[in-house]
Amino acid sequence: MHATQIARHPEGFSASSGTLPVWNLNDLYAGLEDPRIAADLQSAQDAAAAFESRYKNRLAGLSGAELAAAVHEYERISESLGRATSFAQLLFSADSNNPAHGKFYQTMSERVTLINTSLLFFTLELNLLPEADLAAKQQDPALARYAPWLRDLRVFLPHQLSAELEKLLMEKDVTGHAAWSRLFDETTAAMRVPVNGEDLTLSAALNKLSDPERATRQAAGKAVGEAMGRHEKLFALITNTLAKDKEIDDNWRHYPTPASYRNRSNMVEDEVVEALSSAVKSSYARLAHRYYAMKAKWLGLDKLEYWDRNAPLPGDDDRAIPWPEAKEMVLGAYARFNPALAAQIEPFFEQSWIDAAPRPGKSGGAFAHPTIPAAHPYVLMNYHGRTHDVMTLAHELGHGAHQRLAAEQGYLMSGTPLTLAETASVFGEMLTFRSLLDAESDPQRRRFMLAGKVEDMLNTVVRQIAFYQFELKVHAERRTGELLPARIGEIWLEVQTESLGPAFTFAEEYRLFWAYVPHFIHSPFYVYAYAFGDCLVNALYAVYQESADKTAFAGKYTEMLKAGGTLRHKELLAPFGLDASHPEFWQKGLDVIAGFIDELEA
């Protein structure tokens, strides 16, 4: 997913873009009626039952080779289930207005959850094996291969519940968090926002906040505020319910803070996340406050309103970029860095692995879904021919390349923590931006491009840390009782005012704009991963620029992506001389943004 897409999802693009691709999911299944779906689920169900019968309460007595065979079978069954859930998620994301897709998505969630209850014992029992016994079993090379997966499992040992409780929580998720998330998705996808006589989707209305005409931006902001206001109680109920649900889970599992589970999942220490958050907050003034004060002057305004934040600069027409040209821009930027990396993203274009055409009911924003190693990733985005859309394409294809390269690690170890998952995407975006900037000779166009990059970086770093602070405050306050919708809005305005600075005034309806951010619902505390990834890539790109042997750097970079989830951030960054546990690391990344603002100031 792409952080800066949250606020900018235009709808409708001229025919000059050419035919926009729509993905072909046949590499997963041929359609809802494909008989392979039922056959695969039945096979997985039978295999899971046999697996439970064979291995439950017997792991301690297995040899290393026997335990390796069990892990391999667990991985095989899990990947089979991953194919079905991936297909359901992609269908639903492409058109959530289709009731058949919603029904299929829910049916798959319930069926797969039920099958997984037969597998649940395995990871719980693995964690209960004494450290010395597990280490002895890992002397077998077949089990040693899975050492990173076993290492990461044991991070959750202090927070593990009894097998019965874990099974109950897994089964109830389909009527708990998953159900509330689906309600949010279907509500926002079905919303219509009237703006200047047009009946728009929510994402299309939000896109109007970057319209060249200030009156249009204001009308869109007011209309979005009114639309969110009609659903304010529902969104507040969803937020309160999920925050309380998380609090109950956190208390049972003894997580010290509301963000601790996410940090464990990201295989990053609480202190590292706090160092990142503190570094960004301490840089609000030299980054966002300074930039937006300049932007107000460029726009000829004493103060900016919230609807001016994404306004194009005067004279910036942001010409339409047809899809074929966007493809060449991104492929060329990747190829100049490393032809092998370009070869990883070319099939996305050639084999219909991208869905770029905007339409009602389609998920807003963008993502790259890894699906399963036996297949390949798929990219979803809403392309409208802007430079920003080209950056989004480069970003998501970075994810796609990363997912393809890491697939060789297998289903259990190909996935990366969120903090590292953003590395390849943001790096790919930076490659494309630098390629376009270097090719641009007109000083005015370069200024527009530089300003656009700064705004993207502020959205990715400052805005996401502000989102993170919003979540921290909401979850902390929810622990003393339910929050009224007005109070959630107050917290939102507090963090926005602090992060964006004195250049802004905020109209009353802006207090409702927290409610459209899907990350708060689907993945609490996900958002700081964007800032982590952006600052990491800024530091990494600085090393690349300073490198005397750029071919060697490209080789080390590609090897880093191939590692998937087998290495932690310290191990991955060590070959580049970087360490995210040092406060200076974050300042190095933030200095890159400050340097761009310095250029604009000059």
Side-chain angles (χ1 to χ4, degrees), residues 7 175 237 374 443 548 579:
T175 57
L237 174 62
D579 185 350

Side-chain angles (χ1 to χ4, degrees), residues 195-244:
V195 180
N196 293 339
E198 289 186 90
D199 193 37
L200 303 177
T201 62
L202 176 61
S203 61
L206 287 167
N207 175 68
K208 294 290 185 181
L209 295 175
S210 58
D211 193 273
E213 295 296 327
R214 195 172 192 226
T216 300
R217 298 196 301 271
Q218 180 178 1
K222 299 288 185 185
V224 168
E226 289 178 14
M228 301 310 288
R230 290 193 289 272
H231 298 279
E232 182 180 15
K233 288 184 178 180
L234 173 62
F235 291 138
L237 174 62
I238 293 172
T239 299
N240 272 294
T241 302
L242 290 179
K244 184 63 179 178

